[in-house]
Amino acid sequence: MHLRLFELARDHLEDTGQYKVVSGIISPVGDGYKKKGLIEASHRLEMARLATENSDWITLGSWESMQPDWVETVEVIRHHHEKLLEKQQNCDETDTVKLTKKRRIENRYEASSHQKRRDGPQVMLLCGADVLESFGVPNLWKQDDIDEIVGRYGLVCITRSGNDPHKFIHKSDVLWKHRRNIHLVHEWVTNDISATHMRRALRRGQSVRYLLPDAVVSYIQQNNLYSAESEQKNADVVLAPLQRYLEASSS
Amino acid sequence: MANRRVPLVLLACGSFNPITNQHMRLFELARDHMHSTGQYQVLALQSSNWVTVDEWESQQPDWTETVVTMRYHYGRILKEYEGRAGKHMTPTPVSFESSGPQLKLLCGADFLDTFKIPGLWQDEHVEEAVGRFGLVSVSRGGLQPEQTVHESDMLSRHQRNIFLVREWMRNETSATEVRRALRRGQSVKYLIPDSVIEYIHQHKLYTEDSERRNKGTALRPLTKQAQSQ
């Protein structure tokens, strides 16, 4: 479950003694991403808002989804980092921010002589192992972007049995170069609850209660979201990053 | 062809130490499955929230055999159902033509394996729990409930009364893991209901001490069966 990623990441980072995670943000992708089965951003935003209602530190970031075109992840991170720096100028506390592909966590970095010093608040990308491994999919990410995400910002990656993130990092020069900025958190208690499974159950009229927050379940029912039809959305369309980078490489 | 659905109540026994979202999922999965057979209508007896907690078993002075708890609840269900239907229902064994309500035990697939632990169950009780009432067993992970049923003569005999539901989404959240996380000061948010988390913190439950409770003591079913022999 998405929200569990935040909880696991925060526990892990604070346990290192080097971070204070002060906030997390869920940043749903815009409709321009054109992923198959992606329903309107307005609904996805509202569901994320409902899901985070009962959290005292995780909130919703709507900037990404409100952009007219699909926005590269690195731009989203930059945006939130800038926002954080502005906020910091208005107060004395030092915060750091972690931004994830769909979420971000803010951390306050506490100086330690053993760690490379990075002044000011930090933003890191929080993701599952599938996202980390997606770095290897041709034309899905720009190499420069990956370099910036792990080099300048940082990655918190939740993995589970069956993944081998160390191997993946080892096999990638750019990831390996910035390995100290990649925090791997092992999820010992596997939880396969994925949005794909959710949508499948919903299509089949099966219960998703206790897999999603009650408020989200109600919202889905009231608005009749997720049907066989909605799953076919964008079925014939190329994913935005693939489209953009293929065009760029052929021009 | 009996088209009327049999009214069904699902009873889940267990430690619930603590209750987790996974426990609640058992109910949801079982209900979906039993509805989809076309033969059952899972009842909501008391309120719109169809899953309720009952204190009777936990209030008994000694550990209570599961089948005793089942008999108790079945008696109550019959009474309430009679009250609504305005007629007297004779308790019946499983029969699809019967329009009387049925009670089945809801459990995880690991529960099926416990039938073969020596001294844990009395044979007559297993017969009654499975034969007279019935089981709805929800599996996850690497368990092979079909195999367990196959390997047991008693369970195989009552196959028609054992409903196996598969949870395709692997979810290893367990009360044991939740207690472990709590001992270590880790977050269990989104694994158990928020109100339960609050309660646990308020009452400072689940520490290293609480985990050691009953260590070295034999499980009550094992001593109770031995005593009666």
Side-chain angles (χ1 to χ4, degrees):
Chain A
M1 222 236 277
H2 296 127
L3 294 170
R4 276 301 292 163
L5 300 189
F6 278 95
E7 298 288 316
L8 290 163
R10 180 168 72 160
D11 279 348
H12 175 92
L13 290 166
E14 297 207 340
D15 198 52
T16 65
Q18 291 153 13
Y19 297 98
K20 175 84 180 83
V21 178
V22 302
S23 112
I25 298 185
I26 297 184
S27 176
V29 79
D31 291 334
Y33 188 54
K34 302 267 185 241
K35 188 170 182 180
K36 182 168 172 282
L38 191 70
I39 67 169
E40 296 87 337
S42 53
H43 284 311
R44 290 183 288 111
L45 278 174
E46 182 56 15
M47 290 188 284
R49 192 192 63 76
L50 290 168
T52 52
E53 243 170 11
N54 292 330
S55 174
D56 58 5
W57 68 287
I58 306 172
T59 57
L60 178 65
S62 55
W63 179 84
E64 181 179 358
S65 62
M66 296 199 309
Q67 304 312 303
D69 290 324
W70 169 70
V71 180
E72 277 95 343
T73 303
V74 74
E75 261 194 66
V76 183
I77 303 176
R78 283 183 208 139
H79 165 82
H80 286 288
H81 190 227
E82 275 160 28
K83 257 183 73 179
L84 187 65
L85 290 177
E86 276 166 28
K87 200 172 107 179
Q88 195 207 356
Q89 277 161 11
N90 300 334
C91 58
D92 295 326
E93 282 213 276
T94 318
D95 293 345
T96 54
V97 178
K98 279 186 191 275
L99 174 73
T100 74
K101 184 177 201 319
K102 286 185 184 149
R103 317 155 186 85
R104 74 178 182 206
I105 298 177
E106 295 177 19
N107 293 301
R108 176 171 61 226
Y109 178 72
E110 278 157 18
S112 154
S113 55
H114 301 293
Q115 288 296 314
K116 182 181 84 175
R117 202 182 166 125
R118 280 152 82 195
D119 292 328
Q122 282 180 46
V123 182
M124 289 195 207
L125 188 68
L126 171 63
C127 62
D130 53 340
V131 173
L132 179 71
E133 296 192 8
S134 79
F135 285 164
V137 174
N139 291 316
L140 191 59
W141 297 84
K142 271 161 69 181
Q143 291 308 301
D144 288 344
D145 286 2
I146 298 176
D147 199 44
E148 189 175 341
I149 292 170
V150 287
R152 186 173 170 206
Y153 296 106
L155 203 69
V156 188
C157 180
I158 315 296
T159 70
R160 57 169 72 147
S161 316
N163 300 138
D164 197 348
H166 293 283
K167 189 170 178 184
F168 190 79
I169 293 170
H170 166 76
K171 284 163 86 167
S172 156
D173 286 344
V174 68
L175 293 182
W176 191 83
K177 181 169 75 168
H178 300 298
R179 63 194 179 282
R180 288 187 193 88
N181 282 351
I182 302 175
H183 303 265
L184 298 175
V185 185
H186 194 93
E187 184 183 27
W188 293 107
V189 184
T190 308
N191 215 310
D192 240 349
I193 304 175
S194 72
T196 308
H197 281 133
M198 285 312 108
R199 295 196 307 273
R200 181 180 298 131
L202 286 162
R203 279 200 302 279
R204 298 177 183 183
Q206 292 167 346
S207 165
V208 293
R209 205 162 167 213
Y210 309 110
L211 298 175
L212 297 176
D214 281 350
V216 178
V217 179
S218 299
Y219 184 87
I220 290 173
Q221 282 163 357
Q222 277 158 26
N223 291 280
N224 290 317
L225 306 177
Y226 300 123
S227 57
E229 204 191 317
S230 69
E231 196 64 13
Q232 287 311 304
K233 206 166 174 207
N234 294 320
D236 303 327
V237 178
V238 178
L239 202 65
L242 297 174
Q243 180 73 32
R244 191 175 293 179
Y245 301 144
L246 276 172
E247 278 171 357
S249 63
S250 63
S251 60
Chain B
M1 170 93 69
N3 274 325
R4 283 181 59 190
R5 286 173 178 261
V6 174
L8 178 64
V9 174
L10 298 170
L11 174 71
C13 301
S15 309
F16 300 109
N17 188 30
I19 190 159
T20 67
N21 288 343
Q22 193 58 17
H23 291 132
M24 304 306 293
R25 281 297 296 159
L26 294 187
F27 280 97
E28 298 290 312
L29 288 159
R31 180 167 72 159
D32 279 350
H33 180 91
M34 300 309 279
H35 275 182
S36 72
T37 64
Q39 290 155 358
Y40 294 95
Q41 175 70 40
V42 179
L43 292 185
L45 279 177
Q46 274 144 353
S47 66
S48 56
N49 227 357
W50 70 288
V51 182
T52 59
V53 177
D54 188 274
E55 295 175 353
W56 179 84
E57 182 179 353
S58 63
Q59 284 168 348
Q60 301 312 301
D62 192 4
W63 166 73
T64 313
E65 283 91 341
T66 301
V67 80
V68 172
T69 307
M70 292 176 86
R71 287 179 203 146
Y72 167 77
H73 284 289
Y74 184 58
R76 275 183 55 202
I77 288 159
L78 272 189
K79 274 216 190 76
E80 187 162 337
Y81 199 74
E82 279 168 28
R84 282 200 201 162
K87 52 189 164 157
H88 177 70
M89 308 293 309
T90 320
T92 58
V94 174
S95 156
F96 289 141
E97 286 74 46
S98 159
S99 60
Q102 285 181 26
L103 174 90
K104 296 198 190 298
L105 191 64
L106 172 62
C107 60
D110 47 352
F111 184 83
L112 290 179
D113 289 327
T114 68
F115 288 135
K116 50 183 194 238
I117 297 174
L120 193 60
W121 291 88
Q122 282 181 46
D123 288 343
E124 319 84 76
H125 286 175
V126 182
E127 281 284 345
E128 189 176 346
V130 185
R132 183 186 170 203
F133 291 107
L135 297 185
V136 183
S137 171
V138 182
S139 71
R140 60 173 177 178
L143 294 167
Q144 304 279 5
E146 289 90 352
Q147 180 140 2
T148 306
V149 171
H150 167 74
E151 284 174 2
S152 154
D153 289 344
M154 190 279 304
L155 292 180
S156 295
R157 212 174 332 121
H158 298 297
Q159 256 182 77
R160 276 185 74 207
N161 245 0
I162 301 176
F163 296 84
L164 300 177
V165 186
R166 187 167 289 286
E167 158 73 290
W168 293 104
M169 287 182 251
R170 200 171 59 155
N171 190 339
E172 288 166 17
T173 310
S174 68
T176 305
E177 287 293 341
V178 168
R179 293 198 306 274
R180 181 175 293 138
L182 287 165
R183 280 200 303 280
R184 298 176 184 184
Q186 290 167 344
S187 163
V188 293
K189 202 165 157 113
Y190 312 114
L191 298 179
I192 71 182
D194 283 348
S195 46
V196 177
I197 298 178
E198 225 180 276
Y199 185 91
I200 290 173
H201 284 137
Q202 259 169 39
H203 297 268
K204 300 189 170 55
L205 308 176
Y206 301 124
T207 57
E208 283 180 28
D209 271 343
S210 72
E211 199 62 15
R212 278 193 286 265
R213 203 177 292 187
N214 292 322
K215 191 171 179 182
T217 310
L219 205 62
R220 186 67 184 124
L222 297 170
T223 59
K224 195 169 182 183
Q225 322 290 24
Q227 270 170 10
S228 62
Q229 277 154 18

